Amino acid sequence: MKIKKIAIISLMTIILTGCTIVRVDTTSIDNILNVVLSKNNKLYNRVGIGYKYYVPRGVTYIDSTGTNDKLYSNGVYYYLYLDEISYYYKKSIDYKENKSLYYSKKINGKTEGYLQITKEKNNLYLIEFVYNYAKIEALVPKEDINDVVLNCSYILSTIKYNDNVVKLSLSENFLKNKEETYDEFSSKKQDNNNSFLKYGDDK
């Protein structure tokens, strides 16, 4: 009987500790990145064609257009782009930190990436977060920056690609018709004609 109780307790411990999100001190962006991106999270609750990832509690998946996903939380829209081409070819990130911005940091973790936060008009801040061959953009008020960075960190760090599906989608015929360029994640000045955030304007 004791052995049975010990087995049940051990099983419950594995279940409860193996699938939980670590509580993170959100007072520092650096701390958020260091803690979340260093974890080997295997959680997922959103599955697309060739990929899956974890949508944190409080964030709602809205819809998809191709490899673009739109999410929402607390008044903020998240625009997620999954770059299967860069994933397939294991493209490196060429990013130089810019100390004149609100925040600018190159990330070296499981994959390369960067987090760039730029102050825009009306006291809003443009978050551009690239990691794990994916990019999230969000336009947020200053007081929401850390919470949004935390959510983005969980989403990007949990992305897993299905190699077979990605390879199939990048067949020769698909690549001939592909209009995307390979420098999607290069940092560039945002303007009215070249903003990923415009994905949501047509909705």
Side-chain angles (χ1 to χ4, degrees):
M1 190 66 175
K2 286 184 178 180
I3 295 175
K4 189 174 182 180
K5 286 183 179 180
I6 292 172
I8 292 172
I9 292 171
S10 299
L11 182 60
M12 290 300 296
T13 302
I14 291 171
I15 291 171
L16 293 175
T17 59
C19 297
T20 56
I21 294 296
V22 178
R23 189 174 294 275
V24 180
D25 175 11
T26 60
T27 57
S28 163
I29 293 177
D30 286 337
N31 185 64
I32 293 170
L33 298 179
N34 290 336
V35 173
V36 178
L37 299 186
S38 66
K39 298 297 179 184
N40 186 23
N41 291 316
K42 296 182 179 180
L43 299 175
Y44 69 91
N45 52 16
R46 158 77 188 133
V47 178
I49 299 176
Y51 63 88
K52 61 185 179 182
Y53 61 85
Y54 177 74
V55 180
R57 183 179 300 175
V59 179
T60 303
Y61 165 78
I62 298 178
D63 65 8
S64 297
T65 302
T67 53
N68 295 330
D69 282 9
K70 184 178 180 181
L71 304 102
Y72 175 85
S73 176
N74 196 29
V76 175
Y77 287 96
Y78 298 68
Y79 299 93
L80 169 64
Y81 172 75
L82 295 109
D83 190 351
E84 294 178 341
I85 295 177
S86 290
Y87 169 76
Y88 185 77
Y89 292 104
K90 299 298 184 283
K91 186 180 184 299
S92 61
I93 300 293
D94 181 20
Y95 180 77
K96 293 183 179 179
E97 295 181 0
N98 184 348
K99 299 302 180 183
S100 68
L101 300 178
Y102 178 83
Y103 189 90
S104 175
K105 182 174 182 178
K106 184 171 183 179
I107 300 168
N108 293 304
K110 292 182 294 182
T111 62
E112 294 179 316
Y114 66 85
L115 173 58
Q116 178 173 293
I117 305 175
T118 308
K119 186 174 182 180
E120 301 288 332
K121 297 177 182 178
N122 302 319
N123 291 319
L124 293 176
Y125 291 77
L126 175 62
I127 294 177
E128 299 175 85
F129 197 159
V130 171
Y131 190 72
N132 210 6
Y133 305 103
K135 179 177 186 177
I136 294 180
E137 288 189 1
L139 199 59
V140 306
K142 187 174 183 178
E143 61 269 20
D144 291 337
I145 288 175
N146 287 20
D147 287 339
V148 173
V149 168
L150 178 64
N151 288 332
C152 291
S153 297
Y154 277 122
I155 293 169
L156 293 173
S157 67
T158 56
I159 291 174
K160 298 289 185 297
Y161 293 95
N162 183 314
D163 290 346
N164 291 331
V165 175
V166 169
K167 185 175 181 179
L168 183 62
S169 69
L170 299 181
S171 64
E172 185 176 349
N173 290 335
F174 178 85
L175 287 173
K176 284 181 180 178
N177 295 324
K178 187 75 173 174
E179 295 180 359
E180 309 280 354
T181 58
Y182 291 168
D183 62 349
E184 179 64 32
F185 294 154
S186 298
S187 177
K188 45 187 175 284
K189 180 76 174 174
Q190 295 291 325
D191 58 47
N192 292 331
N193 297 317
N194 186 23
S195 175
F196 183 65
L197 287 171
K198 288 191 69 179
Y199 160 69
D201 297 341
D202 299 329
K203 295 293 176 188

